[in-house]
Amino acid sequence: MLERRSSHDDLIDHLVRSTALQRGEAARVVLDVLAYFDEGTDDFVRRRHRELQSGGLVNTEIFERIAAELPHRAVAPPELSLRQLRRIVYG
C-alpha cells in the first residue's frame, strides 16, 4: 500500500532533520505558518487592531502602526489610508 504524502511533507521532513522538532510538531508549525500567510488584509487589520488595543494603544497609534506593518506582509496589499483602515475595523 502506498503511503499518502501531503504537499508539505518535504518541508516537514526538512524541519525534522534541521531542528529538534518531532514530525507532529513540525507539521503543526508548517500549518500555523501557512494559516498566518493565508490571512487576508481585512482579517489582519482587525486582528492587529484587537491586539494593539488590548496592549493599551489608542486608535491614532494603532492605525498608524497597522499602516506601517501592511507593506511588510508576505503579499502586501495596496496602500490603505488611515480612513480605509478604520472602515475595515468599524464598518
Side-chain angles (χ1 to χ4, degrees), residues 15-80:
L15 288 173
V16 169
R17 282 191 309 271
S18 64
T19 69
L21 295 174
Q22 298 297 314
R23 186 161 186 78
E25 295 168 323
R28 280 193 306 277
V29 167
V30 168
L31 291 176
D32 284 347
V33 169
L34 291 172
Y36 176 83
F37 285 115
D38 195 38
E39 183 178 41
T41 301
D42 290 3
D43 292 333
F44 172 78
V45 170
R46 289 184 191 106
R47 177 179 59 79
R48 284 300 287 149
H49 182 269
R50 283 190 308 274
E51 291 170 353
L52 296 170
Q53 194 174 46
S54 70
L57 275 74
V58 297
N59 277 344
T60 305
E61 298 167 318
I62 290 171
F63 291 119
E64 288 177 5
R65 183 170 302 181
I66 292 171
E69 291 175 358
L70 281 171
H72 302 288
R73 300 277 299 158
V75 178
E79 186 174 340
L80 300 172

